[in-house]
Amino acid sequence: MAKITLQNLAHSYLPNPSHEDDYALKELNHDWVDGEAYALLGSSGCGKSTLLNIISGLLHPSQGRILFNDRDVTMEPTTQRNIAQVFQFPVVYDTMTVRDNLAFPLRNRGADATYIRDRVQQIAAMIGMEDTLNHKARGLTADAKQKISLGRGMVREDVNALLFDEPLTVIDPHMKWELRTQLKSLHHEFGHTMIYVTHDQTEALTFADKVVVMYDGRVVQMGTPQELFETPEHTFVGYFIGSPGMNVLDAKVKGDKAVLAGTEIALGKGFGTPDGKVELGVRPEFTSLASGEVGLPVTIKRVEDVGRHKIVRADFHGTEINVIAPEGANISPEMNRVVFDTAGVNVYSNSWRVAPKAA
Ligand code: ADP
Ligand code: MG
């Protein structure tokens, strides 16, 4: 197992990159702590696979270094990095049995036959394929083949890191949950450094200790699920994570006051005079409905009952504000105001969070 350090790392698929936009991965400095489980989360095309493939050695970066426990591996091929990687689509040997597919990485490393037999059995149980161990991989469903790929990724106990690139895409929903749970318990048992790529926030938040959010080739935040929820460092983190995501509203901010389309509200803390494009970010969980003269004037457009609570879609001068109201809340037409709980208000300047000034 290893700590992985990325230094001034950047990658462009172009031969002569000149502009920042030429980089699929913008410059990045980051430590992956030994033994932690990370999720790498972001929408399609934001650079997740590029980053993962650089860590595994399938791709050499155009700039910067990668260290495993302080050893420079930047130019080392994948085989020397001692890493297991599982991809989105199955990579299996069709002519081999499930057993031989699973045993392959162990045989390759010259492991002892008894150990191989026991370990393969254990992995087969984890992926629910004990009954098919002697079947040829050919003819199995894509779903079963992907489980073999996962099993092969998990079979070695002595790897530096386990990398998963959207591994559950072709797996059916029930099994997805099951396998994710297995991966998590594998992590608890062996304490491998794990990096799990996904575009699905639920998958990321349930799997990982730390979530690394990427947007447009950049890591915009690394944090615990709670940190991503409470203090999104970038407006993208705010609206990508959460359901519905954070409300983001144009504002003018001065000290501890904000003005939104002519209405002034108190922020509870001072923020100085942020420049550039200034916005307030408030999660629906930190908003409530009221009537009278407080808060922001709104018109309720729609109320959605989603079981645990209600989502109220309100209009504020042409911008939608989402409010989460308790399940039993009585939402009356007189409610024409939205009030923010100042504990949940973040201020953004050019999409990046402004730290509140110390009182
Ligand atoms: P993700 O895994 O988050 O969907 P990728 O890392 O695959 O994103 O892609 C990041 C960006 O790099 C995308 O704009 C994609 O089109 C581009 N890209 C990925 N692979 C290649 C490649 N082999 N050649 C050129 N461009 C690529
Ligand atoms: Mg990808």
Side-chain angles (χ1 to χ4, degrees), residues 342-355:
T342 54
V345 176
N346 288 294
V347 174
Y348 295 89
S349 160
N350 296 328
S351 304
W352 293 94
R353 183 172 172 268
V354 179

Side-chain angles (χ1 to χ4, degrees), residues 11 28 36 47 75 146 148 155 157-158 167 169 171 179 184 206 215 234-235 264 270 293:
H11 188 70
L28 166 71
E36 287 218 332
M75 295 321 284
Q146 183 63 0
I148 303 175
V155 77
E157 299 172 59
D158 60 344
T169 309
I171 305 275
L179 287 172
K184 237 187 136 145
T206 52
Y215 172 64
H234 190 278
T235 49
E264 185 179 279
E293 298 298 309

Side-chain angles (χ1 to χ4, degrees), residues 136-150:
K136 286 262 191 329
R138 185 194 297 122
L140 293 176
T141 60
D143 184 272
K145 286 186 185 179
Q146 183 63 0
K147 284 196 265 170
I148 303 175
S149 298
L150 266 173

Side-chain angles (χ1 to χ4, degrees), residues 40-44 48 88 166 169 197-201 240:
L40 193 51
L41 175 68
S43 32
S44 173
K48 303 181 297 295
Q88 193 165 3
E166 314 217 23
T169 309
V197 170
T198 177
H199 61 268
D200 178 333
Q201 56 160 316
F240 194 65

Side-chain angles (χ1 to χ4, degrees), residues 18-29:
S18 54
H19 192 264
E20 198 176 49
D21 290 346
D22 295 343
Y23 286 82
L25 192 65
K26 277 131 184 131
E27 194 172 300
L28 166 71
N29 287 284

Side-chain angles (χ1 to χ4, degrees), residues 86-92 142 145-146 149 165-170:
V86 179
F87 301 91
Q88 193 165 3
F89 298 104
V91 183
V92 296
K145 286 186 185 179
Q146 183 63 0
S149 298
D165 196 347
E166 314 217 23
L168 305 182
T169 309
V170 297

Side-chain angles (χ1 to χ4, degrees), residues 27 34 60 118 132 192 198 203 221 243 280 282 295 333 336 338:
E27 194 172 300
D34 186 6
H60 293 295
D118 294 348
T132 23
H192 289 118
T198 177
E203 219 168 274
Q221 189 167 5
S243 179
L280 292 195
V282 190
N336 57 0
V338 163

